[in-house]
Amino acid sequence: MNEFPILSSLLDNDFYKFTMQNAVIKLFPLVKAKYKFINRGKHSFPKNFSNSLKENLDKMAHLKLSKKERFFLEKNCPYLDTAYLDFLNKYQYNPKEVNISQKGKDIQIHIEGLWYRTILWEVPLMAIISELYYQLTGANRISNKKIILLTKKKLNKYKKLNIKIGEYGTRRRYSYQIHKLVLKFLKKEGSSSFIGSSNVHLSHILSIKPIGTHGHEWIMFHAAKYGYNIADKIAMKNWLNIYGKNLGIALSDTYTTPIFFKNFDQKLANIFEGIRHDSGDPISFTEETIKHYKKFKINPLQKKIIFSDNLNPYKVANISSFCKNKITPFFCIGTNFTNDVGPTSMNIVIKMVKAIPKKKWISVVKLSNVKEKSTGDKKMIFYAKKILQIP
């Protein structure tokens, strides 16, 4: 295995992890959380994989925010206040929060601790798992030259569609080096089409805009604390309390889209600049979104939909064609940019599974528009569906 750590920066993470961390510190500093690794793709891990993973996690404990990184955040993310940046200056990963074990070809990972601390583990841990997997299984990839040619071909298609695209591919990238290679090219050749990257570290070193808002765990926690029916609404209101009209994209599918729209009232629909689509049929979702805005006499062309669900050029072309002259689409592309290099990309996730919103652990669940993307305790999923009257 490479003696150098896979991660070399505290900011090698998705932007929305930092924005959520800031919000958690402000509103829920005493809450504890548990996360679990889910091997959706049933990947077989090689012998001693867990040991290599632990070695990389131990090295992460030495990562600290540099002065240049802090200046980058101050300049590009003014809504992250001084108090939070002071906290981040002192933050260090604690590998003791992560328990890793291996039995045969299966690995198990559990994360536990204060939510504001453990929230940063998910994305870099997945990136390390993915890169280590390809290293230790000896996966052969195409050459850097072919990767650039493939990226160029995709980018040219997006340019012809005259759309805006971003990069969301940290968590399942083939490697850090390929991620950097692709992003360099997107920055150089993307012109007005390329809007930024979710990876804060690479955004810093390549002078790219970091993009993103919040993830499903923000709403999952609110459901555990306030109930499923109003989780979306309170999560959005709390987000507005922290960020105002900054970072104004609402996430639509934590408890299915119909439940989201029940919570997305006229005031919220006006304040938020758009909605992120992350599961289910994108065309049906677009129709429902347009219908919802029109119900409140809001011009859909003044709003955005951020599409981020397993995108490729074919899907993007279909969606953008449907959205034309109806609503403004943006496309944030992940694995198809950072792990389209030959070997099958990994299908893995790390999800929050429990939280302590009051005095005891409560199982948290996500009810996606697609059954396979739902996560959490089966009994609690059944209970949530019953409350929300979801078949």
Side-chain angles (χ1 to χ4, degrees), residues 335-374:
T335 308
N336 192 253
F337 269 148
T338 62
N339 199 351
D340 186 20
V341 298
T344 302
S345 57
M346 299 199 82
N347 185 4
I348 55 175
V349 293
I350 292 174
K351 289 292 180 184
M352 180 192 279
V353 290
K354 287 188 178 182
I356 302 181
K358 293 176 184 174
K359 291 183 178 179
K360 63 178 183 178
W361 287 107
I362 293 179
S363 294
V364 299
V365 301
K366 174 192 169 195
L367 304 179
S368 172
N369 291 317
V370 177
K371 188 179 178 182
E372 293 74 29
K373 280 191 165 189
S374 294

Side-chain angles (χ1 to χ4, degrees), residues 1-7 45-47 49 52-53 55-56 59 127-141 173-177 343 346:
M1 194 190 89
N2 195 325
E3 62 180 291
F4 298 105
I6 289 173
L7 261 73
F45 290 91
K47 190 177 180 181
F49 183 91
S52 298
L53 185 56
E55 286 174 23
N56 269 277
K59 291 172 184 175
I128 291 172
I129 291 168
S130 187
E131 184 160 350
L132 265 182
Y133 179 80
Y134 296 117
Q135 281 182 14
L136 299 179
T137 55
N140 292 317
R141 66 171 177 89
R173 65 191 181 195
Y174 182 89
S175 71
Y176 169 81
Q177 293 301 331
M346 299 199 82

Side-chain angles (χ1 to χ4, degrees), residues 291-333:
K291 183 180 173 183
H292 192 75
Y293 280 130
K294 286 183 175 179
K295 181 175 75 175
F296 297 133
K297 295 182 169 54
I298 298 170
N299 182 0
L301 284 170
Q302 294 177 348
K303 297 294 184 178
K304 303 172 182 175
I305 298 181
I306 312 297
F307 294 95
S308 61
D309 182 24
N310 194 26
L311 297 174
N312 58 42
Y314 175 76
K315 288 182 182 177
V316 169
N318 279 347
I319 297 166
S320 63
S321 174
F322 184 81
C323 290
K324 196 169 184 179
N325 299 323
K326 297 188 185 94
I327 197 164
T328 306
F330 284 71
F331 299 90
C332 289
I333 299 156

Side-chain angles (χ1 to χ4, degrees), residues 96-160:
K96 290 180 181 178
E97 293 167 345
V98 186
N99 181 271
I100 302 167
S101 61
Q102 181 167 359
K103 189 174 182 180
K105 295 181 178 180
D106 295 322
I107 60 165
Q108 290 195 339
I109 303 169
H110 298 273
I111 303 164
E112 182 178 338
L114 286 164
W115 188 20
Y116 75 81
R117 286 198 48 80
T118 54
I119 199 168
L120 290 192
W121 277 113
E122 175 193 350
V123 176
L125 188 48
M126 286 176 65
I128 291 172
I129 291 168
S130 187
E131 184 160 350
L132 265 182
Y133 179 80
Y134 296 117
Q135 281 182 14
L136 299 179
T137 55
N140 292 317
R141 66 171 177 89
I142 58 177
S143 67
N144 285 3
K145 186 178 179 180
K146 286 182 179 178
I147 290 168
I148 291 296
L149 287 172
L150 187 59
T151 306
K152 184 177 182 179
K153 188 177 177 183
K154 293 171 188 173
L155 184 59
N156 286 340
K157 288 181 180 179
Y158 298 142
K159 283 181 176 179
K160 284 181 181 177

